[in-house]
Structures are given as C-alpha cells and as structure tokens.
Amino acid sequence: MTGKQLIFDLPLRQSQGREDYYVAQANALALAMLDTPESWTSGRMILTGDAGAGKTHLAQIWADANRAPLIPAAELQNYDAPWLATAGAIVVDDANHIAGTRERESLLFHLCNLCQAEGVKLLLTARTAPRDWGLVVPDLRSRMEATTSAKIMPPDDALLAAVLVKMFADRQIHVPVTLIPWLVSRMDRSLATARALVAALDARSLSEKRAITRSLASDVLDSLGLHEED
C-alpha cells in the first residue's frame, strides 16, 4: 500500500507458539536448557529474567509441549498437589511471589518433594535467583538454591527488532520497514518497553487517525521519556 495507511481498531491477536518465538543470543541458552529437561537437577529448573523478558511466553511454550498446567505461584494453594503430580510436568509462574508467606512456601516445598518422588518435571519462573526471593522456610530455600537455573538476558538489537515486528503483527498494524531499526536505536533495551511502546503507538495512531510514521513515533517516544537525540 502506498500513500496513506488505513487504520482500524482491530482485536489484538497474540501468537504464542514455538514458531513465533525468536531465538537470539539473549535467550538461546535458556531455550536449549528447556529442551533438555533430563539435565535438570532433581528434575527442576528455574527460568529467570527481568519483567517482560519473555519468561511466561517461553514457559507456556514448554507447558504446551509437555501438556503441563501453568499455575501462577500466588494461586498455588488452589491446587491439589497429588493431582498435579499426575500431570507429568508442571509450571509454576512467578515463583518468587510465594516468598515471605510460610504457608505458600510450604506448599511449594511439598510440591517439589512430590514431583521429585514421582519423576515429574517442575519448571519455575522468577525475576531473580532464589537467594534474592526472601524465603523464610530453610528447606525450601536450600531446594531452590540447588535447582538448575537459566536466565534470559537483556535483548540485543536483533531480538528487539523481531519482537517489535511480532507485536505490530499481533495488532495487525503495518509500519514502514525502516521504522523498526529506528525505534530499536532509541528505545530502552527491554521487552517490557517494546510492549509499552507498541501499545502507545497503536493508541496514538487510532486516536489521531494518523499512520504510524517516524514523526508520530518520535512524539510517542518523547511522551514516554524514551527519546534520544540523533
């Protein structure tokens, strides 16, 4: 399409499959370790990374491949541990959120023991390593600190560009090809920032009935406090 870009308020269609996950230096090691669960100590692994790094996306891919339930750690008390152990594999998302609450920590400790006894693979996600969670149950702390871990590193240019392309595609938005590297060179190096930036561009484009151009993107970057001078 040349000239003006048509703008529609279309529903967001996020694609979350393995084929939609871009492998780069930042996440390649974590993905490789997820693909070799036989190497996990006691059948457990903790996937760490900053907010918006893609931990839950990657964990969901693993959960789908292994037919594993994905449980937010804050809801762990709503599940029966013996029933979970029949799944063959389990994902506990945001595991650091159980820290400081003895009841929740005890539930996770019990689940770890049950999974190990039954040969169930247990994947946990968290923003930081277990030593920084503030765990109060000593036995759980020792279990977690002895668990195999992998970290998703901050994204490089290639990963940021691929994520931006995917996020625009999820929203069914067409942008000039040259806009992607221009944005990458000016935005904070975080997938959370990429998500916020795409959402802000979409909202501004719709509200002002303007195509997403470098001019509009510059305005949005300024409004988000992310703009850098050339």
Side-chain angles (χ1 to χ4, degrees):
M1 180 183 296
T2 59
K4 295 183 178 179
Q5 174 184 336
L6 296 178
I7 303 172
F8 301 96
D9 189 4
L10 297 172
L12 176 59
R13 298 178 181 175
Q14 288 190 333
S15 47
Q16 295 286 331
R18 177 69 178 258
E19 67 277 7
D20 303 302
Y21 193 81
Y22 186 87
V23 182
Q25 185 174 356
N27 56 31
L29 179 59
L31 187 60
M33 293 184 69
L34 283 175
D35 285 340
T36 55
E38 64 276 6
S39 67
W40 302 357
T41 302
S42 301
R44 296 188 302 272
M45 191 179 98
I46 301 172
L47 180 63
T48 65
D50 295 337
K55 301 183 298 296
T56 299
H57 183 182
L58 196 49
Q60 185 65 66
I61 290 171
W62 188 86
D64 291 344
N66 291 275
R67 298 182 179 180
L70 191 152
I71 304 166
E75 299 176 10
L76 196 58
Q77 69 273 13
N78 298 329
Y79 293 82
D80 180 65
W83 175 82
L84 286 175
T86 66
I90 302 168
V91 178
V92 176
D93 200 24
D94 293 325
N96 52 290
H97 287 178
I98 60 98
T101 305
R102 187 171 294 274
E103 180 182 1
R104 288 181 181 175
E105 289 190 26
S106 296
L107 286 172
L108 183 56
F109 176 67
H110 177 56
L111 182 62
C112 286
N113 289 341
L114 190 59
C115 286
Q116 185 173 343
E118 299 295 330
V120 175
K121 299 299 181 185
L122 177 60
L123 173 65
L124 307 102
T125 73
R127 290 191 182 184
T128 59
R131 64 177 179 274
D132 300 320
W133 295 2
L135 295 169
V136 297
V137 175
D139 287 340
L140 177 63
R141 184 169 59 249
S142 64
R143 288 281 195 285
M144 291 294 96
E145 291 182 357
T147 297
T148 298
S149 64
K151 183 176 182 179
I152 300 178
M153 305 302 293
D156 54 19
D157 286 358
L159 181 54
L160 276 177
V163 166
L164 285 171
V165 169
K166 179 184 181 300
M167 288 178 177
F168 281 123
D170 284 343
R171 292 174 178 268
Q172 303 177 61
I173 299 172
H174 171 76
V175 297
V177 174
T178 56
L179 184 65
I180 300 299
W182 187 87
L183 289 172
V184 168
S185 68
R186 286 160 175 78
M187 62 184 285
D188 288 348
R189 313 197 64 76
S190 118
L191 300 189
T193 296
R195 187 175 296 109
L197 178 57
V198 170
L201 286 168
D202 189 15
R204 181 74 70 88
S205 173
L206 289 168
S207 66
E208 299 183 5
K209 296 181 171 58
R210 293 170 58 190
I212 297 179
T213 62
R214 185 176 294 189
S215 175
L216 185 143
S218 182
D219 290 345
V220 169
L221 284 167
D222 278 339
S223 71
L224 295 176
L226 302 175
H227 188 277
E228 296 180 4
E229 296 298 331
D230 293 334

